PDB file of all heavy atoms in Angstrom:
ATOM      1  N   THR A  53      16.546  16.513   2.524  1.00  0.00           N
ATOM      2  CA  THR A  53      17.618  17.149   1.691  1.00  0.00           C
ATOM      3  C   THR A  53      17.556  16.502   0.309  1.00  0.00           C
ATOM      4  O   THR A  53      16.953  15.441   0.114  1.00  0.00           O
ATOM      5  CB  THR A  53      19.016  16.875   2.271  1.00  0.00           C
ATOM      6  OG1 THR A  53      19.311  15.451   2.290  1.00  0.00           O
ATOM      7  CG2 THR A  53      19.149  17.428   3.681  1.00  0.00           C
ATOM      8  N   TYR A  55      20.227  16.644  -3.462  1.00  0.00           N
ATOM      9  CA  TYR A  55      21.463  17.164  -3.978  1.00  0.00           C
ATOM     10  C   TYR A  55      21.614  17.054  -5.456  1.00  0.00           C
ATOM     11  O   TYR A  55      22.655  17.385  -6.075  1.00  0.00           O
ATOM     12  CB  TYR A  55      22.667  16.414  -3.331  1.00  0.00           C
ATOM     13  CG  TYR A  55      22.547  16.245  -1.860  1.00  0.00           C
ATOM     14  CD1 TYR A  55      22.062  15.040  -1.305  1.00  0.00           C
ATOM     15  CD2 TYR A  55      22.833  17.263  -0.997  1.00  0.00           C
ATOM     16  CE1 TYR A  55      21.946  14.917   0.042  1.00  0.00           C
ATOM     17  CE2 TYR A  55      22.673  17.157   0.375  1.00  0.00           C
ATOM     18  CZ  TYR A  55      22.232  15.946   0.892  1.00  0.00           C
ATOM     19  OH  TYR A  55      22.067  15.780   2.268  1.00  0.00           O
ATOM     20  N   LEU A  72      15.954  20.905   1.211  1.00  0.00           N
ATOM     21  CA  LEU A  72      17.211  21.571   1.511  1.00  0.00           C
ATOM     22  C   LEU A  72      18.306  21.003   0.707  1.00  0.00           C
ATOM     23  O   LEU A  72      18.608  19.815   0.705  1.00  0.00           O
ATOM     24  CB  LEU A  72      17.547  21.421   3.020  1.00  0.00           C
ATOM     25  CG  LEU A  72      18.921  21.877   3.464  1.00  0.00           C
ATOM     26  CD1 LEU A  72      18.987  23.401   3.434  1.00  0.00           C
ATOM     27  CD2 LEU A  72      19.238  21.342   4.850  1.00  0.00           C
ATOM     28  N   GLY A  74      21.455  20.688   1.191  1.00  0.00           N
ATOM     29  CA  GLY A  74      22.240  20.797   2.379  1.00  0.00           C
ATOM     30  C   GLY A  74      23.710  20.666   2.152  1.00  0.00           C
ATOM     31  O   GLY A  74      24.189  20.031   1.168  1.00  0.00           O
ATOM     32  N   ASP A  75      24.499  21.337   3.013  1.00  0.00           N
ATOM     33  CA  ASP A  75      25.937  21.184   2.900  1.00  0.00           C
ATOM     34  C   ASP A  75      26.424  19.849   3.363  1.00  0.00           C
ATOM     35  O   ASP A  75      27.589  19.472   3.198  1.00  0.00           O
ATOM     36  CB  ASP A  75      26.748  22.341   3.612  1.00  0.00           C
ATOM     37  CG  ASP A  75      26.485  22.406   5.069  1.00  0.00           C
ATOM     38  OD1 ASP A  75      25.704  21.575   5.608  1.00  0.00           O
ATOM     39  OD2 ASP A  75      27.090  23.274   5.776  1.00  0.00           O
ATOM     40  N   SER A  76      25.441  18.985   3.859  1.00  0.00           N
ATOM     41  CA  SER A  76      25.738  17.552   4.127  1.00  0.00           C
ATOM     42  C   SER A  76      26.098  16.895   2.878  1.00  0.00           C
ATOM     43  O   SER A  76      26.637  15.788   2.880  1.00  0.00           O
ATOM     44  CB  SER A  76      24.496  16.901   4.790  1.00  0.00           C
ATOM     45  OG  SER A  76      23.342  17.249   4.106  1.00  0.00           O
ATOM     46  N   ASP A 114      21.665  25.877   1.237  1.00  0.00           N
ATOM     47  CA  ASP A 114      22.467  25.938   2.451  1.00  0.00           C
ATOM     48  C   ASP A 114      23.738  26.731   2.155  1.00  0.00           C
ATOM     49  O   ASP A 114      24.444  26.407   1.230  1.00  0.00           O
ATOM     50  CB  ASP A 114      22.822  24.489   2.862  1.00  0.00           C
ATOM     51  CG  ASP A 114      22.911  24.308   4.351  1.00  0.00           C
ATOM     52  OD1 ASP A 114      22.690  25.239   5.104  1.00  0.00           O
ATOM     53  OD2 ASP A 114      23.207  23.161   4.796  1.00  0.00           O
ATOM     54  N   LYS A 144      19.721  28.943   4.101  1.00  0.00           N
ATOM     55  CA  LYS A 144      19.847  28.534   5.503  1.00  0.00           C
ATOM     56  C   LYS A 144      21.294  28.833   5.946  1.00  0.00           C
ATOM     57  O   LYS A 144      22.232  28.612   5.113  1.00  0.00           O
ATOM     58  CB  LYS A 144      19.551  27.049   5.678  1.00  0.00           C
ATOM     59  CG  LYS A 144      19.766  26.607   7.122  1.00  0.00           C
ATOM     60  CD  LYS A 144      19.253  25.189   7.394  1.00  0.00           C
ATOM     61  CE  LYS A 144      20.205  24.106   7.049  1.00  0.00           C
ATOM     62  NZ  LYS A 144      21.552  24.185   7.787  1.00  0.00           N
ATOM     63  N   GLU A 146      24.025  28.614   9.550  1.00  0.00           N
ATOM     64  CA  GLU A 146      24.126  27.892  10.812  1.00  0.00           C
ATOM     65  C   GLU A 146      24.524  28.816  11.961  1.00  0.00           C
ATOM     66  O   GLU A 146      25.236  29.790  11.801  1.00  0.00           O
ATOM     67  CB  GLU A 146      25.234  26.806  10.749  1.00  0.00           C
ATOM     68  CG  GLU A 146      24.778  25.625   9.901  1.00  0.00           C
ATOM     69  CD  GLU A 146      25.756  24.447   9.950  1.00  0.00           C
ATOM     70  OE1 GLU A 146      26.737  24.483  10.723  1.00  0.00           O
ATOM     71  OE2 GLU A 146      25.461  23.435   9.268  1.00  0.00           O
ATOM     72  N   HIS A 168      19.548  27.765  12.164  1.00  0.00           N
ATOM     73  CA  HIS A 168      19.942  26.377  12.484  1.00  0.00           C
ATOM     74  C   HIS A 168      20.727  26.469  13.823  1.00  0.00           C
ATOM     75  O   HIS A 168      21.779  27.052  13.895  1.00  0.00           O
ATOM     76  CB  HIS A 168      20.850  25.842  11.365  1.00  0.00           C
ATOM     77  CG  HIS A 168      21.232  24.418  11.484  1.00  0.00           C
ATOM     78  ND1 HIS A 168      21.559  23.658  10.348  1.00  0.00           N
ATOM     79  CD2 HIS A 168      21.416  23.606  12.553  1.00  0.00           C
ATOM     80  CE1 HIS A 168      21.892  22.398  10.801  1.00  0.00           C
ATOM     81  NE2 HIS A 168      21.806  22.347  12.036  1.00  0.00           N
ATOM     82  N   VAL A 211      15.960  25.374  12.333  1.00  0.00           N
ATOM     83  CA  VAL A 211      16.254  23.964  12.507  1.00  0.00           C
ATOM     84  C   VAL A 211      16.929  23.756  13.886  1.00  0.00           C
ATOM     85  O   VAL A 211      17.805  24.511  14.342  1.00  0.00           O
ATOM     86  CB  VAL A 211      17.276  23.470  11.409  1.00  0.00           C
ATOM     87  CG1 VAL A 211      17.851  22.098  11.717  1.00  0.00           C
ATOM     88  CG2 VAL A 211      16.631  23.500  10.048  1.00  0.00           C
ATOM     89  N   GLU A 213      19.032  20.851  15.711  1.00  0.00           N
ATOM     90  CA  GLU A 213      19.719  19.569  15.416  1.00  0.00           C
ATOM     91  C   GLU A 213      20.353  19.007  16.657  1.00  0.00           C
ATOM     92  O   GLU A 213      21.122  19.718  17.371  1.00  0.00           O
ATOM     93  CB  GLU A 213      20.813  19.789  14.298  1.00  0.00           C
ATOM     94  CG  GLU A 213      21.526  18.477  13.946  1.00  0.00           C
ATOM     95  CD  GLU A 213      22.348  18.547  12.678  1.00  0.00           C
ATOM     96  OE1 GLU A 213      22.215  19.520  11.931  1.00  0.00           O
ATOM     97  OE2 GLU A 213      23.115  17.526  12.472  1.00  0.00           O
ATOM     98  N   ILE A 234      15.824  17.744  13.782  1.00  0.00           N
ATOM     99  CA  ILE A 234      16.556  16.547  13.334  1.00  0.00           C
ATOM    100  C   ILE A 234      17.311  16.046  14.575  1.00  0.00           C
ATOM    101  O   ILE A 234      18.230  16.755  15.092  1.00  0.00           O
ATOM    102  CB  ILE A 234      17.533  16.817  12.089  1.00  0.00           C
ATOM    103  CG1 ILE A 234      18.344  15.609  11.777  1.00  0.00           C
ATOM    104  CG2 ILE A 234      18.357  18.124  12.326  1.00  0.00           C
ATOM    105  CD1 ILE A 234      19.009  15.716  10.396  1.00  0.00           C
ATOM    106  N   VAL A 244      13.273  16.975   9.623  1.00  0.00           N
ATOM    107  CA  VAL A 244      14.144  16.897   8.430  1.00  0.00           C
ATOM    108  C   VAL A 244      15.052  15.690   8.592  1.00  0.00           C
ATOM    109  O   VAL A 244      15.486  15.410   9.731  1.00  0.00           O
ATOM    110  CB  VAL A 244      14.940  18.126   8.169  1.00  0.00           C
ATOM    111  CG1 VAL A 244      15.794  18.583   9.302  1.00  0.00           C
ATOM    112  CG2 VAL A 244      15.825  18.049   6.898  1.00  0.00           C
ATOM    113  N   VAL A 246      18.321  13.603   6.248  1.00  0.00           N
ATOM    114  CA  VAL A 246      19.178  13.616   5.060  1.00  0.00           C
ATOM    115  C   VAL A 246      18.743  12.488   4.145  1.00  0.00           C
ATOM    116  O   VAL A 246      18.611  11.341   4.555  1.00  0.00           O
ATOM    117  CB  VAL A 246      20.681  13.446   5.469  1.00  0.00           C
ATOM    118  CG1 VAL A 246      21.550  13.142   4.301  1.00  0.00           C
ATOM    119  CG2 VAL A 246      21.157  14.769   6.163  1.00  0.00           C
TER     120      VAL A 246
HETATM  121  O1  LIG B  30      23.153  20.066   5.559  1.00  0.00           O
HETATM  122  C1  LIG B  30      22.212  19.516   6.026  1.00  0.00           C
HETATM  123  O2  LIG B  30      21.818  18.410   5.643  1.00  0.00           O
HETATM  124  C2  LIG B  30      21.520  20.119   7.169  1.00  0.00           C
HETATM  125  C3  LIG B  30      20.303  19.338   7.794  1.00  0.00           C
HETATM  126  C4  LIG B  30      20.784  18.259   8.568  1.00  0.00           C
HETATM  127  C5  LIG B  30      19.413  20.280   8.510  1.00  0.00           C
HETATM  128  O3  LIG B  30      21.830  21.149   7.632  1.00  0.00           O
END
Side-chain angles (χ1 to χ4, degrees):
T53 64
Y55 313 100
L72 169 70
D75 62 358
S76 48
D114 213 1
K144 176 170 87 58
E146 289 191 2
H168 183 157
V211 169
E213 180 166 351
I234 174 163
V244 56
V246 166

